Amino acid sequence: RGCLSEVTVIIAALSLRDPRERPLEKAQQADQAHAVFKDPSSDFITLLNIWNAFERENGKGGKRASVLKQFCKTHFLSFLRMREWQDIHAQLADILSEQGLSDQSAHAAAQQEDKRSPFKPLYRAIHQSILSGYLSGIAMKKEKNIYTATRAREAMIFPGSGLFNNGGPWIMSAEMVETSRLYARTTANIDPAWLVELGGASLVRTYNNPRWDRKKGAVVASEKISLFGLVIAESTVLYGKVKPEDSAKIFIQSALVEGDVELERTGKELSFIKHNLDLVEEVRSLEDKVRRRDLLVPDEALSEFYAVHIKDISDVRSLSQFIREKGGCRFLLMNKEMLFRYEPDPGVFDLFPEALSFGEKASFRVSYRFNPGADDDGITMAVPAAAVGAVKPEALDWLVPGMVREKIESLIKGLPKEYRRRLVPVSSTVAVIEQELPELKKVLETGKSPESSIETALSRFIKKRFNLDIPASVWASGQLAPHLSMRITITNSEGQVLAEGRDKGLLNRDFASKDDDDGFERTRAGFERADVSFTDVENLAGSIALLVNGKEKGIAFPCFRVEDGKVNLRLFRRKDHADQHHMRAVRFLFEKAHSERLKSLRKDLVLKGQHRLYATYFGGEKAFNQNMVERVSLELFSLNIRNRKDFDDHTRKTAPLIHSTGQKIYTMATAILDAYHEARTLIHSRELKEAASGLADGLGITLRKELDHLVPANFLDLYDSTRLTHLDRYIKGIRFRAQRAFENPDKDRIKAAEIKPFTDILNNLLENLTEAHSDERRNLIEDFFWQIEEFKVSIFAQELKTPVKISAKRLYAIADEIRRMI
């Protein structure tokens, strides 16, 4: 190591007693004198400093012994021991010379820098040389001046050492002396890395945590190197060189089976990994659909496949070389058949489509995941923000054909006991439903979801098939397993999720304004036109795709819209908004096409005689005349026509109907005016009579409120012809009731009591109506209102007759039907 002369001096010193003296009566002076030699990192260098100082004094030429003695006395050194040191050094030098060892290349190796070491080259060379003879004298710092020595001993740096209070993390000592405690004497700071080189056969290497390292592309392990019980080094090493067989198993499982490889950095030799992983993922996706984890063979089978072909390889580089030697990786390619534990039932996966369709061009991707407890467990449908209006929330109830049977079974099992016990065994009931429920048959046969809720369909069918009335409110839909409710993600044009969850109400919210990059504004700019008709736009699609760089980002809904007296071509994000504007615009175009006929109709369709006076109840004669014309237009022209042919056909068809329809409306309207005036006049006159006699009890107020509720000021706009046909009869029913009620109030109260349960039910249904309720329920509630009016006629004015049989039983049945609807 190029430091023979220095080490010879130090070794000679270690062969005799320490030449330093420290008399008790002069301890402080001795410490001060010794301090000039002291090295804070090494007591061995301190000895070398003493030698060099003594030799410098001795080498000044013929120094008498008295002068050297004085030097020793001044520095508190033993002259005799210094002489002894010289003698031993001379003997060692002679022996080395006889062996042909000298410092011909003195300090050459000691001048080589080592950037990894904190020590200077000569210091390193000297202490590495000495350390080779004192390996058992090493120690690791535990706390200040306290060290863990070899063989689990605890030692303290001797207080007289230059390292006292200056000791580094690792030290070596020339001797361990035990007095009141174990002391390390003649010590020096060392680098533990030196011990790995010097330890030789005394080193003990242990390995733990063997693992796959993706970045290194190899199996590695944590290596600990110990010397006499002390861990001197820890590092990460290639485990394949230690235990090839075990390392190969880890490599196969992590890199090949799990695919934890940086494929983008590998060559074509490893292309088999992606091919095999894609096949495995394909089978796993099938498992997600059928919600089973028994289709894919276990990892052990995949590992065995690789183990047969790969022997003791545990890194990417070696595998690539092996594959090149074999002429390619075809021998490592799997096929799908070998990944199945058993052959799946044919057609089962067809029940789990990759996308669901809702109306024209509204198709949405669905994904499956079988991971109970996770947020995305079950089916997730991705809906672009621009297309939320294209899906009816109730349609999501039916999930996909492969899962709807499980949902129906869970719904029935979740019913309260008084309902459930009449449907056992549940499996048999579900089998009947599966075979006979029309909506379910549609789902299974076509894959398309009905627009009615699944609870409504089940309640209706079970009532008809099993004579069991199940209100919609008792279906425990909210308590179903999460995977039996469709999960929705609302995404923008970049695929980022704006909202997600299993709440169907998400489809009623407006997310379009949050998505500015779906191409809507650009498409709109190039699509919309002003002042158009079916002459300009012969065929208007119900929806169009929004494209960005050739990729479909969503859908939008074209329509005609009336603006400032003109029809313009516009684009909407929501279908319902587009349809509303389009129907108004189509009606406007029909009115324009029939402008002359409608002009003539306005001249003819005017109130005459007393009817002009009766119109004051409803905004006056002029407003009423206009409302009649509007009613004709609504009756004939309020259609969602989207092509020129249909428009032209309907124009020709309605031309001869305008005046006849006007006459029909006029007849109905004037009949209603007559009936309303008669009823209003009768009620008023009887109120005055009762008031004069002091018998008024509020009956007139009740009847007048009922009349106004039935015939509001906008009744011509509110009711279609079907309703208007019967309206005058309902008004007459109120008049007949008024005649009899004022004569016999007690009897009227008895009859009113028959009506009250149903008006209470109606009011309750209306009060609890929310956006979450289906259109089907809303429509039936409206029908319930009119059925109550028919019931009133049957109770208060039987002579007017009803077009259908009506009874309390029938009304309760309708109320029950409504309750069975979502």
Side-chain angles (χ1 to χ4, degrees):
R1 300 182 187 278
C3 56
L4 183 60
S5 59
E6 288 84 359
V7 172
T8 303
V9 171
I10 294 169
I11 293 303
L14 296 177
S15 302
L16 49 84
R17 289 180 62 190
D18 192 322
R20 286 168 292 185
E21 294 181 332
R22 191 172 183 271
L24 288 176
E25 67 278 8
K26 296 182 179 181
Q28 185 175 357
Q29 296 95 313
D31 290 342
Q32 291 174 351
H34 295 156
V36 298
F37 307 120
K38 195 172 277 189
D39 187 291
S41 297
S42 172
D43 291 340
F44 300 99
I45 299 299
T46 297
L47 291 172
L48 187 60
N49 291 339
I50 294 172
W51 171 270
N52 290 335
F54 185 79
E55 284 298 296
R56 282 195 299 271
E57 191 68 24
N58 187 39
K60 289 182 180 179
K63 288 288 184 179
R64 295 191 302 276
S66 59
V67 176
L68 292 175
K69 286 180 180 180
Q70 183 58 43
F71 174 85
C72 289
K73 184 177 181 181
T74 302
H75 291 87
F76 287 86
L77 299 173
S78 169
F79 178 72
L80 293 178
R81 290 179 199 153
M82 292 302 297
R83 283 297 191 189
E84 184 181 0
W85 189 354
Q86 287 180 315
D87 291 342
I88 295 175
H89 177 266
Q91 294 173 31
L92 288 174
D94 289 343
I95 295 172
L96 291 172
S97 179
E98 291 173 3
Q99 297 295 323
L101 299 174
S102 65
D103 269 347
Q104 292 178 353
S105 59
H107 299 172
Q111 298 306 315
Q112 297 177 5
E113 291 284 349
D114 185 353
K115 294 181 179 180
R116 295 170 300 175
S117 175
F119 301 105
K120 293 186 179 298
L122 182 58
Y123 182 101
R124 183 178 72 248
I126 292 172
H127 289 81
Q128 282 180 328
S129 300
I130 298 171
L131 180 58
S132 63
Y134 288 107
L135 287 174
S136 62
I138 62 172
M140 179 176 65
K141 193 169 190 175
K142 182 178 180 182
E143 55 186 276
K144 187 176 181 180
N145 293 320
I146 306 298
Y147 285 75
T148 301
T150 56
R151 290 181 276 277
R153 296 174 297 168
E154 184 178 275
M156 180 178 180
I157 295 177
F158 188 69
S161 169
L163 269 68
F164 194 75
N165 294 332
N166 293 310
W170 285 83
I171 62 170
M172 61 174 285
S173 65
E175 59 179 340
M176 294 284 184
V177 178
E178 189 164 7
T179 54
S180 58
R181 64 177 305 156
L182 187 65
Y183 288 102
R185 297 178 64 103
T186 314
T187 59
N189 290 328
I190 62 169
D191 187 340
W194 302 341
L195 299 170
V196 178
E197 176 189 347
L198 301 171
S202 298
L203 297 176
V204 176
R205 298 175 185 266
T206 57
Y207 301 90
N208 57 59
N209 190 25
R211 61 198 180 277
W212 168 249
D213 190 311
R214 176 187 175 93
K215 288 188 177 180
K216 291 182 178 175
V219 177
V220 300
S222 298
E223 180 188 55
K224 287 185 178 181
I225 304 176
S226 302
L227 181 61
F228 303 126
L230 293 178
V231 177
I232 60 173
E234 295 183 75
S235 63
T236 300
V237 298
L238 296 177
Y239 197 52
K241 296 180 179 179
V242 181
K243 290 191 175 181
E245 186 175 341
D246 291 350
S247 186
K249 289 180 180 178
I250 297 173
F251 175 68
I252 288 173
Q253 177 61 34
S254 299
L256 306 185
V257 175
E258 298 175 8
D260 188 20
V261 180
E262 294 182 344
L263 291 174
E264 64 278 3
R265 295 176 56 187
T266 59
K268 61 181 180 180
E269 294 86 1
L270 300 186
S271 61
F272 74 92
I273 298 179
K274 185 178 187 308
H275 172 272
N276 294 346
L277 288 174
D278 288 345
L279 286 181
V280 169
E281 189 57 35
E282 191 174 335
V283 177
R284 282 207 180 103
S285 69
L286 297 178
E287 288 185 327
D288 285 332
K289 289 182 176 181
V290 298
R291 299 188 67 77
R292 293 164 60 178
R293 286 288 181 241
D294 60 352
L295 292 179
L296 181 66
V297 295
D299 283 357
E300 291 77 9
L302 303 177
S303 297
E304 187 176 344
F305 168 82
Y306 287 119
V308 169
H309 298 89
I310 300 173
K311 301 291 184 182
D312 296 342
I313 292 177
S314 59
D315 64 273
V316 169
R317 182 178 296 178
S318 299
L319 178 59
S320 297
Q321 178 61 34
F322 178 69
I323 290 173
R324 283 194 290 270
E325 293 172 358
K326 296 279 286 186
C329 65
R330 295 184 62 84
F331 68 103
L332 291 174
L333 293 175
M334 297 178 179
N335 58 64
K336 191 186 292 187
E337 287 69 27
M338 66 185 294
L339 296 179
F340 284 109
R341 290 179 193 250
Y342 57 86
E343 189 70 25
D345 294 335
V348 66
F349 300 121
D350 295 337
L351 301 176
F352 300 88
E354 298 297 322
L356 293 177
S357 298
F358 303 90
E360 184 183 359
K361 294 186 181 179
S363 180
F364 306 106
R365 179 178 53 83
V366 294
S367 58
Y368 302 83
R369 189 178 182 203
F370 178 36
N371 189 10
D375 288 342
D376 60 349
D377 183 41
I379 312 174
T380 297
M381 184 172 76
V383 182
V388 290
V391 185
K392 288 202 71 172
E394 293 81 10
L396 301 185
D397 290 349
W398 300 90
L399 302 175
V400 292
M403 297 186 70
V404 67
R405 189 185 195 282
E406 181 188 356
K407 180 168 184 174
I408 290 173
E409 187 171 336
S410 295
L411 281 169
I412 293 175
K413 288 180 177 179
L415 287 170
K417 186 177 180 180
E418 63 267 27
Y419 299 101
R420 187 178 66 250
R421 63 184 177 82
R422 294 181 58 183
L423 296 173
V424 293
V426 173
S427 58
S428 299
T429 301
V430 173
V432 172
I433 293 172
E434 192 171 16
Q435 293 174 3
E436 301 179 20
L437 180 63
E439 290 88 347
L440 181 55
K441 290 171 70 175
K442 177 183 177 182
V443 172
L444 297 176
E445 291 171 6
T446 69
K448 293 185 177 180
S449 300
E451 293 191 348
S452 62
S453 72
I454 193 169
E455 294 90 348
T456 298
L458 285 174
S459 291
R460 184 183 295 121
F461 177 80
I462 291 172
K463 172 63 177 176
K464 181 179 179 181
R465 182 67 170 76
F466 299 99
N467 196 29
L468 175 62
D469 194 359
I470 302 177
S473 59
V474 304
W475 291 107
S477 303
Q479 298 176 20
L480 290 176
H483 74 275
L484 294 177
S485 296
M486 181 73 78
R487 183 172 176 271
I488 310 163
T489 61
I490 310 298
T491 59
N492 65 12
S493 57
E494 301 301 320
Q496 297 172 327
V497 176
L498 302 177
E500 59 186 346
R502 302 183 193 273
D503 179 11
K504 292 183 292 186
L506 288 174
L507 296 175
N508 294 322
R509 290 166 56 187
D510 183 10
F511 292 98
S513 59
K514 297 182 180 180
D515 189 8
D516 298 326
D517 299 320
D518 60 357
F520 178 80
E521 294 300 334
R522 278 169 285 178
T523 303
R524 182 180 181 183
F527 180 87
E528 293 187 341
R529 293 159 59 187
D531 198 9
V532 298
S533 68
F534 282 112
T535 302
D536 308 289
V537 183
E538 294 195 2
N539 288 286
L540 184 61
S543 63
I544 63 171
L546 298 175
L547 301 177
V548 177
N549 297 326
K551 294 183 179 180
E552 187 172 330
K553 294 292 186 178
I555 58 176
F557 304 94
C559 71
F560 288 162
R561 181 179 184 180
V562 180
E563 297 170 330
D564 298 326
K566 293 182 179 180
V567 174
N568 300 326
L569 180 61
R570 295 291 183 242
L571 201 61
F572 280 83
R573 291 182 182 273
R574 292 183 61 93
K575 185 177 185 301
D576 53 351
H577 294 169
D579 287 346
Q580 289 169 10
H581 287 293
H582 188 71
M583 290 179 69
R584 292 192 193 104
V586 169
R587 178 182 157 202
F588 179 85
L589 289 173
F590 277 124
E591 290 174 350
K592 191 175 180 181
H594 290 301
S595 60
E596 290 301 321
R597 291 182 177 86
L598 290 172
K599 183 178 180 181
S600 174
L601 179 68
R602 287 189 182 91
K603 293 179 180 179
D604 297 338
L605 203 60
V606 293
L607 295 174
K608 304 174 182 65
Q610 291 296 318
H611 294 131
R612 297 167 63 186
L613 181 61
Y614 299 163
T616 55
Y617 294 122
F618 304 102
E621 174 188 355
K622 185 176 181 181
F624 198 89
N625 290 340
Q626 179 61 29
N627 286 343
M628 286 192 290
V629 176
E630 290 288 325
R631 182 72 255 168
V632 173
S633 179
L634 284 168
E635 291 288 322
L636 295 177
F637 308 139
S638 189
L639 300 170
N640 193 357
I641 288 176
R642 287 188 168 268
N643 62 75
R644 180 174 180 176
K645 182 180 182 304
D646 290 346
F647 182 82
D648 290 344
D649 288 347
H650 195 70
T651 302
R652 287 191 294 270
K653 179 182 176 182
T654 54
L657 300 177
I658 292 176
H659 277 81
S660 61
T661 303
Q663 286 304 311
K664 183 181 71 172
I665 296 298
Y666 182 85
T667 300
M668 288 189 294
T670 53
I672 292 169
L673 287 177
D674 288 336
Y676 186 88
H677 174 71
E678 290 175 10
R680 188 75 177 243
T681 301
L682 175 64
I683 294 170
H684 182 64
S685 64
R686 295 307 299 263
E687 277 186 307
L688 292 176
K689 184 178 178 180
E690 294 296 317
S693 62
L695 298 174
D697 61 355
L699 178 59
I701 295 174
T702 299
L703 292 172
R704 194 165 55 251
K705 282 184 177 179
E706 188 167 332
L707 183 63
D708 291 340
H709 180 64
L710 179 63
V711 195
N714 64 335
F715 74 91
L716 282 174
D717 290 330
L718 190 64
Y719 302 143
D720 60 23
S721 292
T722 303
R723 300 302 181 193
L724 292 174
T725 301
H726 299 284
L727 193 57
D728 69 315
R729 185 165 51 86
Y730 300 149
I731 298 171
K732 289 176 181 177
I734 295 176
R735 179 167 61 84
F736 281 21
R737 177 188 176 185
Q739 288 174 338
R740 292 159 183 163
F742 282 107
E743 297 296 332
N744 192 342
D746 292 337
K747 190 173 182 180
D748 183 78
R749 280 192 286 270
I750 294 172
K751 290 182 178 181
E754 295 184 55
I755 305 296
K756 189 176 186 302
F758 306 108
T759 55
D760 288 345
I761 291 173
L762 177 63
N763 291 333
N764 181 262
L765 291 172
L766 292 172
E767 287 173 5
N768 292 288
L769 197 62
T770 67
E771 290 184 358
H773 286 115
S774 64
D775 291 341
E776 189 177 16
R777 182 186 179 105
R778 295 172 187 273
N779 293 335
L780 192 54
I781 290 175
E782 182 183 353
D783 183 62
F784 187 53
F785 169 82
W786 293 111
Q787 292 294 331
I788 292 174
E789 291 303 316
E790 291 289 352
F791 190 54
K792 289 178 182 178
V793 171
S794 72
I795 295 295
F796 294 111
Q798 293 181 354
E799 59 267 56
L800 294 177
K801 301 189 181 301
T802 59
V804 295
K805 289 184 178 181
I806 190 68
S807 64
K809 182 178 179 181
R810 168 64 181 155
L811 289 176
Y812 279 124
I814 296 174
D816 290 340
E817 179 72 9
I818 295 172
R819 293 190 187 100
R820 288 192 288 269
M821 291 180 176
I822 292 298

